[in-house]
Amino acid sequence: MGSNDVGDAGAAVLAGGLKDVPGLETLDVEDTSISDAGAAALAGGLVGVPRLQTLSVSGNDIGYAGAAALAGALKHVPGLQALDVARNGIGDAGAAALAGLQTLSVGSNDVGDAGAAVLAGGLKDVPGLQTLDVRGNGIDSLDWLGEVPAQFSGRIKIDSNNIPLPKEVLRDEDWRVWLRAWRGATAELPLMKVVLLGEGEAGKTSLAACLRGEEPPEWHDPTRAFDVHVVTLGPAEAAGAMPPQVRLFDFGGQKHLQGLHRFFLASRRNVFVVVVRADKTLAENRLWHWLGVVEDVHRREVAAERQRRGEGMGA
């Protein structure tokens, strides 16, 4: 029923009819103009659908009261696996009320560090949780990750917050990497991106294998876009800090891919390595082309930086 003008009155009618569909497994009332009153009505009807597995009330006007009502009704749906309350206004208190689901999305809900800490602490009660989504909130630190139980193996999505760490770190699927980086964060984060460029079959994948301490493959399919390999250089100097790492980006060199390279490259925290074959000439390796790609990336980044500085000065 998503994207309809259901409203609180419609939600009450819908809730009253849930007893007639006891086998219902999915209920979607996303973007339906429901407020706390409508959420409370739906909560009251959940007793009629004990097999419900997925409930989405995202994109409404639900606050703490509605979130608390839904949380209180969850005992009637023990098999609920996913609750999506993204794009509401439940805040920290609402996040606290909802802690303890298998899959929970509270993106874009004005959740701050306090609410995130409560959610993290609640993970100990749901060892089977797969995903906690807190994207697009007001989270500006990672201290709350210390509340996450050590045995938690699920994913945490944290994009579009105000956390002062490089995106390369926050995009890592392992939240422990974020925490190590946060606790050991200094002016120079021990993370570097190394981009391997060159013609197809130049040996980029073999070089990446050697840098990882592995034997080069005797044969492999050509890289179709780019592969990412992580190389840990050694232990961190400080306990709990992030160990120095290199991210190797192995870009496919086939002709049909070369036009896309410029869209995936940036010059910040990057080292570019152009790989050539010793049994071919510079022209066959197209060395000047690849050096030109690197130069072009650098020029575009310089121009973008000048524009950012100009906008910051009110120019």
Side-chain angles (χ1 to χ4, degrees), residues 193-236:
K193 178 178 173 183
V194 176
V195 179
L196 304 179
L197 297 174
E199 291 292 290
E201 300 183 354
K204 300 182 294 298
T205 301
S206 295
L207 176 59
C210 291
L211 292 174
R212 299 196 309 271
E214 302 173 1
E215 289 292 328
E218 295 183 5
W219 181 90
H220 71 96
D221 289 326
T223 305
R224 300 184 183 279
F226 64 88
D227 295 326
V228 182
H229 311 279
V230 178
V231 178
T232 300
L233 300 181

Side-chain angles (χ1 to χ4, degrees), residues 98-131:
L98 290 170
L101 290 169
Q102 293 183 17
T103 300
L104 178 59
S105 173
V106 293
S108 303
N109 263 297
D110 298 323
V111 175
D113 293 346
V118 174
L119 287 171
L123 295 178
K124 65 180 180 297
D125 300 321
V126 281
L129 185 115
Q130 298 299 311
T131 301

Side-chain angles (χ1 to χ4, degrees), residues 89-302:
I90 67 172
D92 287 346
L98 290 170
L101 290 169
Q102 293 183 17
T103 300
L104 178 59
S105 173
V106 293
S108 303
N109 263 297
D110 298 323
V111 175
D113 293 346
V118 174
L119 287 171
L123 295 178
K124 65 180 180 297
D125 300 321
V126 281
L129 185 115
Q130 298 299 311
T131 301
L132 173 62
D133 187 345
V134 292
R135 292 177 292 184
N137 282 291
I139 300 171
D140 55 17
S141 85
L142 290 179
D143 292 333
W144 56 275
L145 283 177
E147 302 295 326
V148 178
Q151 68 272 21
F152 175 65
S153 59
R155 296 187 304 164
I156 300 177
K157 297 182 179 180
I158 202 169
D159 300 347
S160 302
N161 281 286
N162 299 315
I163 300 166
L165 281 178
K167 293 180 179 179
E168 292 92 330
V169 174
L170 297 178
R171 286 172 182 163
D172 197 296
E173 293 187 357
D174 187 351
W175 59 271
R176 295 173 182 82
V177 171
W178 312 343
L179 184 58
R180 290 196 298 268
W182 177 258
R183 289 175 172 174
T186 61
E188 296 183 0
L189 190 72
L191 178 67
M192 181 177 291
K193 178 178 173 183
V194 176
V195 179
L196 304 179
L197 297 174
E199 291 292 290
E201 300 183 354
K204 300 182 294 298
T205 301
S206 295
L207 176 59
C210 291
L211 292 174
R212 299 196 309 271
E214 302 173 1
E215 289 292 328
E218 295 183 5
W219 181 90
H220 71 96
D221 289 326
T223 305
R224 300 184 183 279
F226 64 88
D227 295 326
V228 182
H229 311 279
V230 178
V231 178
T232 300
L233 300 181
E237 293 183 3
M242 181 179 178
Q245 289 186 339
V246 170
R247 302 291 177 90
L248 292 173
F249 282 71
D250 175 9
F251 277 81
Q254 289 76 28
K255 292 288 193 300
H256 67 280
L257 296 174
Q258 293 177 9
L260 301 175
H261 286 151
R262 302 171 195 269
F263 296 101
F264 293 96
L265 303 179
S267 66
R268 290 188 172 188
R269 291 189 300 275
N270 279 8
V271 171
F272 293 93
V273 177
V274 179
V275 181
V276 297
R277 290 183 56 145
D279 59 350
K280 291 188 175 182
T281 66
L282 293 182
E284 290 172 328
N285 281 298
R286 300 181 71 213
L287 177 60
W288 307 120
H289 163 79
W290 292 110
L291 292 178
V293 170
V294 176
E295 182 181 25
D296 179 65
V297 171
H298 174 67
R299 289 182 182 276
R300 287 191 291 113
E301 184 61 36
V302 169

Side-chain angles (χ1 to χ4, degrees), residues 5-27:
D5 193 15
V6 175
D8 292 338
V13 174
L14 175 63
L18 291 180
K19 63 181 183 298
D20 298 322
V21 283
L24 188 69
E25 296 182 352
T26 299
L27 177 59

Side-chain angles (χ1 to χ4, degrees), residues 21-26 46-54 76-81:
V21 283
L24 188 69
E25 296 182 352
T26 299
L46 293 183
V47 66
V49 284
R51 300 180 185 177
L52 193 68
Q53 297 179 9
T54 302
H76 301 303
V77 282
L80 189 70
Q81 297 178 1

